[in-house]
Amino acid sequence: GLVLKAHGEGLFEVDALDLRRTISVVPAVDVPFEHYNYYPGHSMAMVEDELWLAAVYSPEVIRLDPETMDELGRIPVGPWPVAIAWNPGMNHAVVAHKAGDTLGFVEVESRRLVDAVWVGDEPSNVVLDPQGRQAFVALSTEGRVAVVDLETRALERRIETNFDPLAMVYDETDDRLFVASHRSGDVDRSPLEPDPRTSIFDIAVVDLADGGTVTWIEEVGSTIGGLSVNDGVLYVATTRT
């Protein structure tokens, strides 16, 4: 077993090998590292009556009073937390750790990271179904979306979508997930060869009611950063159109 503290001395034990090791634990926030390709996905969420922010470059979730914006405290989480999500009634908020390849579970009552599930390479965003039963995690380097069962905290499957997925939105009306390619339309990849995925498969439409069947909306815009659904209309935020 592994028993660690937030900082100080910890103990690593493997009973079968009669192995005991003392480990010095260094707070991650004391050794910052910046990677400017780690963009925030959906970095804010209301959790009960507080506003929680995924700090991205610092391995923390920052708790704020939404009325005064006063800081209420910080929760240590995994490396490069780029997105956070929570629905009313959930016991845990979930955090995408882009540098840790995991989806973290932060217990709301204790304000503590209690678990993390491997989902795939560089998770960039996370959204939930309205019932808080599943989390959908965009995997930026794999062109896939991971589906996590939040009750069992297990990876269910990974669905191939589009190139560099980032922005996502769940359409409750038709049980669909829209997934946008962040670098869509970036045809000039010098010195690399052109990649047709960058200009064709702008937005993947995952039909969850039909077992995760994927279709695409083509040539919507370039460098897509955000999606929203309202009254049957999909809104797309693009840097260049």
Side-chain angles (χ1 to χ4, degrees):
L2 181 61
V3 181
L4 296 179
K5 303 176 182 179
H7 56 84
E9 298 297 316
L11 179 64
F12 179 76
E13 298 180 290
V14 181
D15 291 334
L17 301 177
D18 195 26
L19 177 66
R20 307 285 186 276
R21 293 290 187 272
T22 300
I23 299 174
S24 297
V25 182
V26 179
V29 72
D30 291 346
V31 285
F33 173 80
E34 293 187 356
H35 188 314
Y36 292 105
N37 198 39
Y38 284 178
Y39 308 103
H42 185 227
S43 55
M44 295 187 293
M46 287 297 300
V47 178
E48 294 185 332
D49 58 352
E50 298 180 357
L51 178 63
W52 287 15
L53 307 180
V56 186
Y57 294 131
S58 177
E60 301 171 297
V61 167
I62 304 170
R63 300 167 43 225
L64 299 176
D65 182 318
E67 298 294 331
T68 64
M69 289 294 122
D70 290 337
E71 184 176 320
L72 303 175
R74 299 193 176 205
I75 304 170
V77 293
W80 290 271
V82 292
I84 186 168
W86 180 81
N87 280 349
M90 290 176 56
N91 296 324
H92 300 82
V94 291
V95 183
H97 301 140
K98 192 164 189 179
D101 299 341
T102 59
L103 183 69
F105 289 75
V106 179
E107 189 175 64
V108 175
E109 183 177 0
S110 66
R111 306 293 197 261
R112 188 169 63 92
L113 181 72
V114 296
D115 203 355
V117 176
W118 179 86
V119 289
D121 194 44
E122 295 198 4
S124 59
N125 202 358
V126 57
V127 299
L128 307 173
D129 72 344
Q131 293 76 33
R133 295 177 300 199
Q134 290 181 315
F136 303 97
V137 186
L139 304 175
S140 59
T141 63
E142 297 191 30
R144 291 181 172 90
V145 169
V147 183
V148 176
D149 184 310
L150 296 179
E151 182 177 354
T152 62
R153 302 182 194 173
L155 175 64
E156 288 186 354
R157 56 180 170 154
R158 299 193 298 166
I159 304 169
E160 188 169 351
T161 54
N162 45 3
F163 175 71
D164 192 20
L166 177 65
M168 297 189 296
V169 66
Y170 182 88
D171 178 15
E172 182 178 2
T173 303
D174 294 311
D175 196 17
R176 296 180 297 181
L177 182 71
F178 293 98
V179 184
S181 169
H182 183 228
R183 288 180 286 170
S184 178
D186 185 11
V187 294
D188 183 6
R189 304 175 69 240
S190 178
L192 302 177
E193 294 296 322
D195 187 337
R197 297 174 302 172
T198 65
S199 59
I200 298 176
F201 305 129
D202 284 7
I203 299 175
V205 184
V206 183
D207 188 340
L208 298 167
D210 191 29
T213 302
V214 180
T215 55
W216 291 272
I217 305 174
E218 301 181 6
E219 299 180 349
V220 176
S222 302
T223 316
I224 299 173
L227 298 176
S228 180
V229 169
N230 187 41
D231 289 335
V233 178
L234 176 66
Y235 296 87
V236 183
T238 68
T239 301
R240 295 172 292 149
T241 56

